[in-house]
């Protein structure tokens, strides 16, 4: 189109020029001027040459325009191609940020450097220093517990938790690693949260939070005392703890906050604790209900009932193990104090004694058992980062032997010390502990353990 206009313009110019020349000639020479064939042919040739030049110029312009279009397209393709990896990288970074922001990794370590002095006394003879019943004379460093926790939040309702339990004891030269907690949680309301898997049980972890010195000693229902029942000897096996801090099952819990608040938890579990993921013919149940008239105080009751995983197919007849719990505790920024009580029946003698010298109870010379225990504790933060604390436990463990005579084991424990918070997540305590056990009166035995040292807790 542009070439045609240019051609017409040139032709018009030539025509005007010719007419102007002719007009000038006519004015100068009034005689008529004629254009011969040769001149006309020359003019046509010039016009054709100009048309060719215009066409060539147009072709070059169109080629240049096409090249510019191709260049722009190539540049755009390069920009798109270079932006694609950046977009993909941005998406990956966003996904990674979400994982990092919604995942928390932490750990807690209980450690100590202590010296133990352990003596035992049999039915006859004096007390002698010897190793046994969970105590080793001498000085050593122990990492009693190391928990590594990974907690991931999927959304505002669903989350998951994995907590491993590692322990090392220099006295035993052994290590162990267990999965203490592994659960999926759905938090539908502050008063209704459900956990599926291995999770905190209702009682022991709850008391630990109010006690505040778990790194120094387990709470009374979680503290095993060594002594035993068979034959009335100081070499008999020990009596284990009266509860589990974690177990596999379904856990429902909830709480309100502030004054006049309530809290509860109900767990239906296998019954053997987090270290033993096994099946049986029945499940156990543990529950807790607590009330806080003011935020700094709690009154709580709890209970446990079940076969503790012993009700298996083609197994021995069983009893039902039960435990009742009660707690009154106070904790503010300066003071902490509490009283815990428990009562158990058939906690150890779940399998029924069927008579004779073999089978359940025969080896331990026992038919059934029951226990009562209480724990008193208090602590005072007398200056920033420094506190003094003390605790006293008393457990009466009774069992009926094969002769239907009730025998009794009495365990007394206390500790006292001073703690120093080096950092918010690093605590140390200088502590003295004493534990004394007296065996049955029919065949008395006993032991004493004195321990002094530094206990610590590191968390991150």
């Amino acid at each position: 189109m542009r070439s045609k206009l240019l051609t017409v313009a040139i032709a018009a110019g030539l025509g005007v020029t010719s007419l102007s020349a002719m007009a000038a000639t006519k004015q100068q020479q009034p005689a008529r001027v004629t254009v011969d064939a040769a001149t006309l042919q020359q003019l046509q040739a010039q016009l054709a040459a100009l048309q060719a030049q215009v066409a060539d110029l147009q072709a070059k312009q169109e080629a240049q325009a096409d090249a510019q279009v191709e260049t722009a397209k190539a540049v755009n393709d390069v920009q798109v191609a270079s932006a694609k990896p950046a977009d993909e990288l941005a998406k990956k970074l966003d996904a990674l940020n979400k994982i990092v922001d919604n995942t928390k990794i932490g750990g807690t370590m209980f450690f100590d450097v202590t010296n133990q002095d352990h003596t035992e006394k049999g039915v006859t003879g004096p007390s002698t220093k010897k190793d046994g019943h969970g105590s080793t004379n001498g000085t050593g460093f122990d990492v009693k517990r190391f928990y590594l926790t990974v907690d991931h939040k999927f959304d505002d309702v669903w989350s998951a938790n994995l907590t491993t339990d590692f322990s090392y004891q220099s006295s035993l030269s052994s290590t162990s690693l267990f999965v203490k907690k592994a659960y999926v949680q759905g938090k539908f309301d502050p008063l209704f949260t459900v956990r599926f898997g291995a999770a905190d049980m209702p009682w022991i972890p709850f008391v630990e939070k109010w006690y505040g010195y778990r790194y120094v000693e387990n709470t009374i229902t979680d503290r095993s005392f060594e002594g035993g029942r068979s034959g009335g000897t100081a070499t008999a096996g020990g009596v284990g703890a009266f509860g589990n801090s974690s177990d596999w099952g379904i856990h429902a819990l909830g709480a309100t906050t502030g004054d006049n608040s309530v809290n509860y938890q109900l767990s239906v579990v296998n019954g053997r604790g987090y270290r033993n993921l096994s099946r049986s013919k029945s499940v156990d149940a543990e529950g807790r209900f607590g009330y806080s008239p003011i935020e700094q105080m709690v009154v709580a009751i709890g209970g446990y009932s079940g076969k503790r995983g012993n009700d298996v197919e083609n197994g021995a007849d069983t009893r039902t193990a039960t435990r009742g719990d009660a707690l009154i505790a106070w904790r503010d920024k300066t003071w902490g104090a509490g009283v815990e009580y428990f009562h158990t029946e058939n906690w150890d003698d779940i399998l029924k004694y069927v008579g004779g010298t073999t089978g359940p109870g025969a080896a331990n010379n026992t038919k059934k058992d029951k226990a009562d225990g209480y724990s008193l504790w208090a602590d005072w933060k007398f200056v920033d980062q420094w506190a003094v604390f003390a605790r006293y436990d008393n457990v009466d463990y009774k069992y009926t032997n094969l002769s239907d005579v009730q025998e009794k084991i009495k365990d007394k424990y206390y500790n006292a010390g001073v703690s120093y918070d080096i950092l918010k997540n690093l605590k140390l305590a200088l502590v003295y502990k004493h534990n004394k056990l007296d065996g049955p009166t029919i065949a008395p035995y006993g032991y004493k353990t004195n321990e002094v040292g530094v206990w610590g807790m590191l968390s991150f």
Side-chain angles (χ1 to χ4, degrees), residues 110 112 114 116 133-136 140-146 166-176 217-218 226 275 451 455:
F110 300 153
D112 63 72
T114 69
Q116 284 188 352
H133 300 112
S135 297
T136 302
F141 175 82
D142 289 334
V143 177
K144 293 294 180 65
R145 284 291 184 272
F146 182 79
F166 165 86
S167 64
Y168 169 76
Q169 291 183 304
S170 59
S171 61
L172 302 177
S173 299
S174 66
T175 60
S176 59
E217 191 63 76
N218 307 60
E226 300 290 340
R275 299 187 181 190
E451 187 174 11
W455 279 257

Side-chain angles (χ1 to χ4, degrees), residues 276-317:
N276 191 332
L277 181 58
S278 60
R279 295 190 179 192
S280 65
K281 293 167 61 177
S282 60
V283 293
D284 295 8
E286 179 173 314
R288 180 202 77 243
F289 177 81
Y291 170 66
S292 294
I294 57 176
E295 188 176 8
Q296 297 81 6
M297 180 181 178
V298 69
V299 179
I301 57 173
Y304 186 102
S305 179
K307 308 291 186 177
R308 298 186 62 203
N310 288 279
D311 188 16
V312 297
E313 198 69 39
N314 301 319
D317 292 338

Side-chain angles (χ1 to χ4, degrees), residues 164-319:
T164 60
D165 179 5
F166 165 86
S167 64
Y168 169 76
Q169 291 183 304
S170 59
S171 61
L172 302 177
S173 299
S174 66
T175 60
S176 59
L177 179 65
F178 298 93
V179 173
K180 183 168 187 178
K181 289 187 278 189
Y183 62 82
V184 175
Q185 172 179 287
K187 187 173 183 179
F188 305 99
D189 186 87
L191 278 172
F192 185 62
T193 296
V194 181
R195 294 172 178 172
F196 303 91
D200 284 341
M201 292 291 283
W203 190 254
I204 292 175
F206 178 77
V207 177
E208 288 176 352
K209 293 178 182 178
W210 286 90
Y211 173 45
Y213 285 87
R214 167 62 184 87
Y215 69 98
V216 173
E217 191 63 76
N218 307 60
T219 58
I220 188 170
T221 51
D222 194 31
R223 184 178 70 86
S224 301
F225 68 86
E226 300 290 340
R229 307 173 297 181
S230 62
T233 66
T235 58
V239 174
F242 296 97
N244 294 314
S245 58
S246 175
D247 205 344
W248 297 85
I250 301 175
H251 312 258
L253 60 151
T256 58
T257 59
D259 298 342
N260 290 315
S261 61
V262 296
N263 64 81
Y264 79 93
Q265 183 176 336
L266 177 64
S267 298
V268 179
V269 296
N270 290 347
R272 286 189 175 271
Y274 65 92
R275 299 187 181 190
N276 191 332
L277 181 58
S278 60
R279 295 190 179 192
S280 65
K281 293 167 61 177
S282 60
V283 293
D284 295 8
E286 179 173 314
R288 180 202 77 243
F289 177 81
Y291 170 66
S292 294
I294 57 176
E295 188 176 8
Q296 297 81 6
M297 180 181 178
V298 69
V299 179
I301 57 173
Y304 186 102
S305 179
K307 308 291 186 177
R308 298 186 62 203
N310 288 279
D311 188 16
V312 297
E313 198 69 39
N314 301 319
D317 292 338
T318 60
R319 300 183 180 90

Side-chain angles (χ1 to χ4, degrees), residues 13 28 53 133-134 137-138 159 164 184 216 239 249-251 272 301 304 330 357 368 385 420 429 434 449:
Q28 295 175 0
Q53 291 177 356
H133 300 112
N137 287 283
S159 61
T164 60
V184 175
V216 173
V239 174
I250 301 175
H251 312 258
R272 286 189 175 271
I301 57 173
Y304 186 102
W330 172 280
T357 58
K368 59 182 179 179
Q385 297 178 278
Y420 174 59
H434 175 80
T449 303

